[in-house]
Amino acid sequence: MSDTRINDVSAMRVWDSRGRPTVEAQVILRDGSCGRAIAPAGASTGSGEAVDLRDGGDALGGRDVQRALANIRVEIADALRHMDAVDQVAVDALLCRLDGTENKGRLGANATVAVSMASAHAAAAANRVPLWRHLAGDGDVVLPLPEIQIFGGGAHAGGRVDVQDFMIVAPGAESFDQALVWTAEVYAAAGQLLEAQGRLRGVADEGGYWPEFSSNEEALEYLSKAIEAAGLKPVDQVAIALDIAASEFGQRGRYKLSLDGDELDSDGFIERLGAWIGRYPIVSVEDPLAEDDEEGLRAFTARFGKRLQIVGDDYLVTSAARVEHAAAIGACNAVLIKPNQAGTLSEARQALDASRDAGWDAIVSARSGETEDTTIVHLAIGWGAPQLKVGSFARSERMAKWNEVLRVEAALGERARFAGASALGGRGSR
Ligand code: 2PG
Ligand code: MG
């Protein structure tokens, strides 16, 4: 038997996909097994998220993480030493107790999530299996439906387009591999269309094209054209998923669409979204209304919840309690699961379990600031989450994740099963 008690926890500063400092944690067990993980970082964050600890001051835009690193090296390392890394719930409960705040503000969610993930990796290493297998046990696993960005906007593209993520899903694909092939075709077609019209301006934070559109709706036109140009059937094979990220341009029931030169109230904005939903092959909408507009979210869900996946991100911030509340009042029917919004793996897992209890869909998601770390892929597969969102189909911090799923699919061979259309719970056909 290997000794899976924690022997040492260490930390170092590494850099994320926006060139900003972030936290890497390493956990070493008594048997020598080692796990490592890196904290991601969001840009369009919900106000209820667990918060990163940043140093402030002038250097590195105030974003350095020396205090978070010091917390890992001293307090966290002392507290976790001798704990059994296999008992993730106990490790995470201790991190929460040690931090002692509602939002991980004392130790930093960047410190706690990195340690929580590194500890899980160390336990898997001791078990001599990849993390997804360690989490799933011996049971069958299903590969998630990928949600992949084609155009980036909002906070990830200088606010050039108000809507943040114009994405596709491939519910008609037979395998994860085929979903990526179709995505590659759509991504290439979208790039060619933009280039032909002189609209290409590079790529946004998550690798999606940085668009030069004259309205938000024009992005939907281009995306629909790209799906057709790739020779794919809208809805049945490939459909559109949006992250409106409405908290970025909507407060107190007013929605300011700068690109469209419009300011709408909550009802007016729901009408606008309804018009898009009627005209384009949209099957999923994330954060359609702002996090402070619960009434709007309820109204939107009442109107479109039967045919659309309606995902709460800023509004639910990977919190089991918030998911339970939202399900009880009929706001949203799916949750985005981002471990660093919660601050530990166990809390993220609880939010996923709460969504299952509510009969909701769930999407495990990366952040706009990412690294080569692929933990998110292992969580989605190991926890049996039906969908996975990690940004676009370019830039290696994104491709590292898609390629990691391919490795699992290849390792499963004949036993590989793909979530496909079932991930959307029957929504999307019309
Ligand atoms: C989101 C994420 C990922 P960020 O809003 O869903 O696209 O963005 O990490 O900036 O919150
Ligand atoms: Mg979002």
Side-chain angles (χ1 to χ4, degrees), residues 143-339:
L143 301 168
L145 178 70
E147 197 182 32
I148 306 183
Q149 186 194 67
I150 305 297
F151 304 134
H156 306 157
R160 184 65 192 80
V161 180
D162 301 290
V163 172
Q164 182 182 285
D165 295 328
F166 296 87
M167 301 173 286
I168 58 167
V169 288
E174 305 247 301
S175 63
F176 191 86
D177 180 62
Q178 185 171 44
L180 292 194
V181 170
W182 288 358
T183 301
E185 300 284 14
V186 175
Y187 188 73
Q192 281 157 15
L193 278 171
L194 288 177
E195 193 154 27
Q197 309 278 326
R199 306 283 190 101
L200 203 51
R201 298 286 177 273
V203 296
D205 279 10
E206 298 190 356
Y209 295 114
W210 180 303
E212 182 72 44
F213 293 127
S214 52
S215 68
N216 285 285
E217 183 166 354
E218 200 179 34
L220 289 164
E221 279 167 34
Y222 268 82
L223 187 48
S224 305
K225 277 190 208 148
I227 294 170
E228 278 160 39
L232 293 158
K233 231 171 137 232
V235 179
D236 290 349
Q237 289 184 309
V238 170
I240 295 177
L242 298 176
D243 181 1
I244 307 293
S247 308
E248 291 292 312
F249 57 85
Q251 276 95 37
R252 292 176 294 281
R254 303 294 302 172
Y255 293 87
K256 196 166 180 306
L257 293 166
S258 304
L259 186 57
D260 301 344
D262 259 349
E263 192 173 325
L264 302 166
D265 63 11
S266 195
D267 290 344
F269 190 51
I270 291 174
E271 285 305 318
R272 177 66 52 87
L273 293 173
W276 294 346
I277 291 159
R279 287 200 275 270
Y280 303 95
I282 296 167
V283 296
S284 177
V285 184
E286 180 180 327
D287 285 347
L289 285 303
E291 61 176 15
D292 68 357
D293 190 358
E294 194 161 69
E295 271 315 305
L297 285 163
R298 286 174 78 177
F300 186 82
T301 306
R303 185 148 159 208
F304 298 108
K306 286 222 159 48
R307 53 198 273 225
L308 290 187
Q309 171 171 269
I310 302 169
V311 189
D313 172 16
D314 292 351
Y315 170 59
L316 298 174
V317 293
T318 313
S319 150
R322 287 191 185 218
V323 169
E324 282 158 17
H325 165 76
I329 63 162
C332 303
N333 59 27
V335 61
L336 206 71
I337 300 289
K338 293 166 163 171

